Structure formats: structure tokens, C-alpha cells
């Protein structure tokens, strides 16, 4: 029996982990303990959330909560270490680039427990981003590196990581998009609820601190969306941080008049909104890829992205929110994309990344 202890800390990580956990639980020689650090408290992570994902609730909830990077990571390191001493797993499995990811990797290697990193090798090459530091350090501490793309593999090789640690498996988010896309079609009623027609709206999401905490960037983004709404309706599930920022800058009322601001939605409803949008404008990492998986052009409101492949093939367009006209022109280009876009299949694997990860874990002890 191979014992895997999975550590996650935020809602997007549960969505990624759900695909692998489902595969692990289907294998007779594998067992998993799921640990939620509580890095991000999310009211949407209710019983309904876990029912939608079809996974059991976490076996351990550490309740760490927010804090400065050092304080939060330190508290998680201590708490995860205690769990590892009790559980004694064969593998610690981590995802992405959060403080939970780094803390779990550090706790494991100090106890000589092998670490496997899903989404290994991603690089924005912006060392000012805490996420970039987390992913680099986690990669260099890990024994198995599950890379989603060939570009990620090349990044790992260029940093001198041993070839036998690197496994090109594809992207677990593509697995999730295929599985939950069908589930959303069958179960979500969000389009009827808010009176939207397929391919007749822009879906926007804005939540990153670099955009919400900078008044100029925030104003430019929402002015660009307001201008776009004259041509195509814009719907925006409003993150609590973004709502507070709009109220702080006294632009919430104006935004409400021109944009369809709605409360945050569940995962399946979000998938349904993504699948049926004409264009997505976002500063989220995960939404960029989901847009591509559902063959929807995307405008990313950032200076850089970890998903460089999407920019290279033209399905994603980066725009820095420093000039209103740049944002407007990028949205217009995205709306026109359907006339010329070509969809490159297989860019993120074949939708079997979870299976490949589980088989590697099963065979390596």
C-alpha cells in the first residue's frame, strides 16, 4: 500500500487535487489523506462545493488563516510537520505555488519524506511575485516533478534538475475541464438565472492585489470594461476584495450601472459561464487556462503569465492595465478573434494527467 498525503490551501487547489484524488481512490494499492491548511478561508467551500467536485471533505483542517508570508508559512510548516509525524506517508503531494505548497514541501524534506509537485516547472520569471519564489523552491525540494507542458520541462532542465525526477504528464486542469464541463452542462442553470445567452456576453474576473490595491489600475480596468459593455454585455462575479476596492475608490455605483455585477458563484456555475462566454477578461491564472480548454479567447489583465504557451498560440493576450486605450483595444481584438483563431489540440496533454501521476506514484517508493 502506498500512502499519499495531499496538502492544499485554497479553492483552486482543491479543483486540481480532485482529479488526482479521484484516481487515487480508485486504485487498490493507494490510500490518501487530504490536508487543508486553511490558508484561504472561502465561504464557497461548503458541503455543496465538495459535492460538486465529488470528493470527500478534507481529513485534516489546520485552520491557519491569513497573515504575512513569513508568519503564515511558518505556522503552516509547524502544523504540517505534526501531521506528517502522525501519518508517516510514503509521499507528500503538493500543487501549484501557494504558501501551503512551500510549507508542505519544506516540512516533508526535513523529515526525509519524498515530495511530488504537480504543476512543476512553471515560471513567470518575475521574482517579485511570492508565487514565483514558492514554485521555484518547491521544484528544487521535490523528488518527483509533474510538468504540465514541454515548456515547463525545459525550465526544469535549464535549472539543472535531474532528468529522472521530471515527468511530462499534461495538465490536471485539462482533466478537470473535461470532467466538470460535462457536469456543468447537466447541472448548472446560471445562464437562465441571470438571463444570459451563449456567446453574447463577456465574462470578467478581477481579484489580484496588484489590480485591486492600485487605484489607477483598478479604474483603468473598470473603465475598459465599461467601454466594452457598450458593444457586448459584461458579467463579473465580484470577489469580496474587489467589491471593497470599488467602494473605497467610490466607483462601485458607476460600475454597477454598466456591468452586470453578481455575487461569487459556485464552481459548476463558473465553468458554465466560462464555456459560454464570447470573451473572457481576467487576472486569474486558472481562468486563463479554462478559457482555452473551452475554446474561448482570453484577455489577461497582467504584465506576465505562467501560461506562456497560450500567448504564443494567440489564444491569450496580455495587457497591462496602465492605459485605458490598451485595455479597450485588447478587448476589441479578443472579440474579433473568432474569425481567425486556430485551436491547437494537445497543448496541455490528452486529459489523462491524473492517471499518469497516480501511476508514477504507485510505481515509485
Amino acid at each position: 500500500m502506498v500512502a499519499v498525503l495531499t496538502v492544499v490551501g485554497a479553492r483552486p487547489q482543491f479543483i486540481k487535487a480532485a482529479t488526482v484524488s479521484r484516481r487515487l481512490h480508485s486504485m487498490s494499492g493507494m490510500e490518501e489523506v487530504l490536508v487543508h491548511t486553511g490558508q484561504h478561508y472561502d465561504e464557497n467551500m461548503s458541503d455543496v462545493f465538495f459535492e460538486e467536485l465529488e470528493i470527500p471533505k478534507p481529513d485534516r483542517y489546520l485552520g491557519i488563516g491569513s497573515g504575512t508570508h513569513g508568519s503564515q508559512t511558518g505556522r503552516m510548516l509547524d502544523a504540517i510537520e505534526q501531521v506528517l509525524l502522525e501519518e508517516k506517508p510514503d509521499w507528500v503531494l503538493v500543487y501549484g505555488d501557494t504558501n501551503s505548497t512551500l510549507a508542505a514541501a519544506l516540512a516533508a524534506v526535513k523529515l526525509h519524506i519524498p515530495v511530488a509537485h504537480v504543476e512543476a516547472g512553471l515560471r513567470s520569471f518575475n521574482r517579485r511575485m511570492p508565487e514565483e519564489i514558492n514554485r521555484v523552491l518547491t521544484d528544487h525540494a521535490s523528488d518527483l516533478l509533474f510538468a504540465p507542458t514541454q515548456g515547463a520541462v525545459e525550465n526544469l532542465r535549464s535549472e539543472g534538475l535531474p532528468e529522472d525526477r521530471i515527468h511530462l504528464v499534461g495538465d490536471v486542469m485539462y482533466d478537470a475541464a473535461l470532467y466538470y464541463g460535462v457536469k456543468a452542462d447537466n447541472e448548472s442553470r446560471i445562464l437562465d438565472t441571470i438571463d444570459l445567452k451563449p456567446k453574447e456576453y463577456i465574462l470578467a474576473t478581477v481579484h489580484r492585489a496588484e489590480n485591486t490595491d492600485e487605484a489607477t489600475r483598478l479604474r483603468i480596468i473598470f473603465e475598459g470594461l465599461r467601454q466594452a459593455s457598450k458593444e457586448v454585455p459584461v458579467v463579473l462575479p465580484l470577489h469580496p476584495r474587489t467589491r471593497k476596492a470599488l467602494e473605497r475608490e467610490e466607483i462601485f455605483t458607476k460600475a454597477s450601472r454598466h456591468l452586470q455585477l453578481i455575487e461569487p458563484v459556485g464552481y459548476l456555475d463558473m465553468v458554465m459561464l466560462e464555456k459560454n462566454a464570447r470573451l473572457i477578461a481576467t487576472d486569474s491564472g486558472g481562468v486563463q487556462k479554462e478559457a482555452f480548454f473551452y475554446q474561448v479567447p482570453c484577455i489577461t489583465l497582467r504584465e506576465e503569465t505562467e501560461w506562456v504557451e497560450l500567448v504564443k498560440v494567440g489564444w491569450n493576450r496580455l495587457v497591462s492595465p496602465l492605459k485605458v486605450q490598451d485595455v479597450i483595444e485588447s478587448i476589441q481584438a479578443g472579440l474579433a478573434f473568432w474569425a481567425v483563431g486556430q485551436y491547437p489540440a494537445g497543448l496541455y496533454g490528452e486529459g489523462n494527467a491524473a492517471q499518469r501521476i497516480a501511476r508514477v506514484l504507485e510505481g515509485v517508493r
Side-chain angles (χ1 to χ4, degrees):
M1 184 69 68
V2 178
V4 177
L5 188 138
T6 297
V7 180
V8 291
R11 186 170 180 257
Q13 290 180 311
F14 273 93
I15 296 165
K16 298 169 188 175
T19 62
V20 179
S21 294
R22 191 178 301 110
R23 180 63 60 177
L24 292 175
H25 285 280
S26 73
M27 300 169 69
S28 59
M30 306 290 290
E31 62 181 13
E32 182 190 36
V33 172
L34 183 61
V35 178
H36 180 14
T37 65
Q39 175 177 337
H40 292 165
Y41 173 73
D42 189 333
E43 293 180 354
N44 287 324
M45 287 183 64
S46 60
D47 290 342
V48 173
F49 175 74
F50 292 99
E51 288 169 10
E52 285 186 336
L53 292 180
E54 298 178 359
I55 58 171
K57 297 188 76 171
D59 300 288
R60 299 285 193 105
Y61 178 71
L62 304 183
I64 299 300
S66 60
T68 64
H69 285 289
S71 171
Q72 186 185 64
T73 306
R75 286 183 286 126
M76 286 191 292
L77 183 58
D78 181 50
I80 293 169
E81 182 180 62
Q82 296 305 311
V83 174
L84 295 179
L85 289 170
E86 294 169 15
E87 296 289 345
K88 299 180 175 61
D90 297 301
W91 286 97
V92 170
L93 183 63
V94 296
Y95 290 79
D97 55 18
T98 67
N99 287 343
S100 299
T101 303
L102 177 60
L106 290 174
V109 296
K110 296 284 187 179
L111 295 173
H112 309 292
I113 300 172
V115 177
H117 185 202
V118 177
E119 289 193 342
L122 299 182
R123 299 291 182 267
S124 68
F125 302 102
N126 179 0
R127 288 296 182 100
R128 292 180 60 84
M129 294 175 61
E131 296 87 351
E132 182 79 350
I133 301 302
N134 289 346
R135 63 173 71 101
V136 170
L137 293 177
T138 300
D139 281 341
H140 283 259
S142 294
D143 300 88
L144 288 177
L145 298 160
F146 293 123
T149 66
Q150 186 61 43
V153 169
E154 296 305 322
N155 288 336
L156 295 169
R157 287 172 175 165
S158 71
E159 293 174 13
L161 287 160
E163 193 73 29
D164 61 354
R165 295 186 189 178
I166 303 171
H167 296 263
L168 177 60
V169 295
D171 197 324
V172 293
M173 283 299 291
Y174 186 37
D175 294 27
L178 294 174
Y179 184 86
Y180 294 114
V182 173
K183 191 172 172 64
D185 286 339
N186 294 331
E187 299 182 20
S188 175
R189 300 292 177 268
I190 187 68
L191 297 187
D192 292 335
T193 300
I194 61 177
D195 194 26
L196 292 175
K197 292 183 172 54
K199 305 306 176 188
E200 293 186 11
Y201 63 92
I202 296 171
L203 174 65
T205 75
V206 181
H207 77 277
R208 294 179 74 88
E210 66 194 60
N211 288 330
T212 60
D213 295 354
E214 288 285 340
T216 300
R217 295 170 69 96
L218 185 72
R219 288 178 177 277
I220 286 173
I221 288 170
F222 277 85
E223 177 59 21
L225 294 175
R226 186 188 73 81
Q227 294 282 355
S229 71
K230 295 177 181 178
E231 182 176 351
V232 181
V234 177
V235 59
L236 194 155
L238 198 57
H239 192 284
R241 177 194 292 148
T242 313
R243 177 184 287 273
K244 290 179 182 177
L246 292 173
E247 292 171 348
R248 180 191 70 230
E249 299 302 325
E250 299 182 347
I251 54 178
F252 178 81
T253 301
K254 182 178 180 181
S256 300
R257 285 199 299 265
H258 300 278
L259 311 178
Q260 190 171 353
L261 303 181
I262 63 174
E263 293 298 315
V265 298
Y267 180 59
L268 293 183
D269 284 343
M270 187 62 182
V271 166
M272 198 65 173
L273 288 172
E274 290 170 346
K275 287 186 69 174
N276 289 281
R278 181 174 167 186
L279 172 72
I280 292 176
T282 186
D283 59 8
S284 163
V287 174
Q288 294 173 48
K289 279 195 303 175
E290 287 169 334
F292 175 74
F293 296 150
Y294 298 130
Q295 301 189 35
V296 178
C298 181
I299 305 302
T300 296
L301 302 163
R302 290 167 54 185
E303 279 78 9
E304 71 283 306
T305 178
E306 300 75 40
W307 307 107
V308 294
E309 299 85 4
L310 299 181
V311 177
K312 290 178 180 177
V313 299
W315 275 80
N316 191 355
R317 184 184 179 108
L318 290 174
V319 55
S320 176
L322 298 177
K323 295 181 180 179
V324 171
Q325 194 58 36
D326 288 349
V327 175
I328 294 171
E329 290 176 358
S330 293
I331 291 174
Q332 290 172 339
L335 291 172
F337 183 81
W338 282 107
V340 296
Q342 299 295 320
Y343 188 75
L347 192 61
Y348 289 101
E350 305 301 326
N352 61 351
Q355 179 180 357
R356 298 179 73 175
I357 289 168
R359 285 179 176 173
V360 173
L361 290 171
E362 182 184 35
V364 182
R365 296 196 61 174

